[in-house]
Amino acid sequence: MQLYLPIAEVSVNLILLLGLGTLVGMLSGMFGVGGGFLITPLLFFMGIPPAVAVATGANQIVASSVSGVMAHLKRRTVDLRMGVVLLAGGLVGSGFGVWVFNILKEQGQVDLLVRLAYVIFLGVIGGLMFIESVRALRRSKSGGGTRKKRHSHVWVHGLPFKMRFRASGLYISAIPPLMVGAAVGVLAAIMGVGGGFIMVPAMIYLLGMPTKVVIGTSLFQIIFVTAFTTLLHAVTTQTVDIILAVALIVGGVLGAQVGAVIGSKLRAEQLRILLAGLVLAVCFKLALDLFLTPEELFVIAEAG
């Protein structure tokens, strides 16, 4: 069954689209990630224009993050004060990112920017994740080993404008959280991702937050930043396809339940190495597409 997407101006197979949403939902349930860094490039492979894939993919992140943060609020594992500081930086960063996105869209370079950004980030994140997963597997086979210290004070904690974050047990400068939030906001605008794969390690190792409050606080910030980014894209670039968004959300809700069941039956090291392999495979396909000659060298469109 073919479904026409009015904003993307392409027809896609509805079953395939629901399957993609289900797949990413399964990954979310299995690995605890929003899936934005995978769903956007997978939409590229289906023929969705990168500008539409970036702007629309954020909708699914909003939906999955809302359900996740509600559960964390019940367990009181959300640092709302830290979340607000991260959110302030995120809103500024997303506004800047959409501004850059619009300039490159006018110049006709936005597709190249998005693809290059994904190749770089997926390559780095996938590579580091794969190396860490292999080391974890070796440690588990050899009976463990010494545990690294989670956090030590670094130069950023000596910066001014200090605030007390009681839920996290921290008294640090507000500048590092603002910078982390701004960086994630830029990524959300340009790449259509929630940024959790960068924010979570930054919150643990740079800000020194306890792991128990990191996920919930990250989701709290991601909800508002991705929603704001989607709104900006809808108003300024008109690249949000609501039909595509609904299909992805429906599939994602179903897949998340299945993924949670599968994930509970696998070891953490096995889950991470599977995710790393998938990330690297998508990165390789995107990089290959940048060098291969396209089937259509020129596309003729009506002016205006």
Side-chain angles (χ1 to χ4, degrees), residues 73-91:
L73 283 171
K74 290 180 181 178
R75 293 196 295 266
R76 297 184 180 181
T77 52
V78 180
D79 190 332
L80 292 175
R81 194 172 192 185
M82 177 66 79
V84 170
V85 175
L86 290 167
L87 176 59
L91 295 179

Side-chain angles (χ1 to χ4, degrees), residues 75-275:
R75 293 196 295 266
R76 297 184 180 181
T77 52
V78 180
D79 190 332
L80 292 175
R81 194 172 192 185
M82 177 66 79
V84 170
V85 175
L86 290 167
L87 176 59
L91 295 179
V92 173
S94 62
F96 175 75
V98 170
W99 176 70
V100 173
F101 191 93
N102 287 335
I103 292 177
L104 292 170
K105 189 171 184 289
E106 292 174 359
Q107 301 295 323
Q109 300 297 322
V110 69
D111 289 10
L112 179 62
L113 169 71
V114 172
R115 291 178 185 274
L116 281 175
Y118 266 100
V119 169
I120 294 170
F121 274 94
L122 293 184
V124 172
I125 297 298
L128 292 175
M129 192 184 302
F130 185 81
I131 293 171
E132 190 276 334
S133 300
V134 171
R135 288 176 178 172
L137 282 172
R138 288 177 177 175
R139 284 197 300 269
S140 64
K141 289 180 179 179
S142 61
T146 58
R147 196 172 186 177
K148 291 185 179 180
K149 190 177 180 181
R150 178 180 63 84
H151 169 68
S152 59
H153 283 276
V154 291
W155 64 271
V156 295
H157 296 98
L159 295 174
F161 307 109
K162 290 192 174 183
M163 295 179 63
R164 190 174 300 280
F165 302 96
R166 299 187 184 280
S168 299
L170 296 176
Y171 181 62
I172 60 173
S173 169
I175 295 176
L178 284 171
M179 293 172 60
V180 172
V184 170
V186 173
L187 291 177
I190 294 178
M191 298 176 63
V193 298
F197 63 101
I198 290 179
M199 176 176 284
V200 170
M203 292 166 74
I204 294 175
Y205 297 108
L206 180 64
L207 304 182
M209 292 178 62
T211 305
K212 67 177 182 178
V213 300
V214 164
I215 302 298
T217 307
S218 173
L219 289 174
F220 172 81
Q221 188 261 8
I222 285 171
I223 289 171
F224 296 99
V225 170
T226 49
F228 181 65
T229 299
T230 302
L231 178 63
L232 286 180
H233 277 300
V235 172
T236 60
T237 64
Q238 291 84 47
T239 51
V240 178
D241 195 310
I242 189 65
I243 296 178
L244 174 61
V246 170
L248 292 174
I249 290 172
V250 170
V253 170
L254 298 174
Q257 307 303 316
V258 179
V261 175
I262 297 175
S264 64
K265 298 180 179 179
L266 295 175
R267 293 168 53 191
E269 295 86 357
Q270 294 172 328
L271 287 172
R272 287 200 299 270
I273 204 166
L274 286 173
L275 179 60

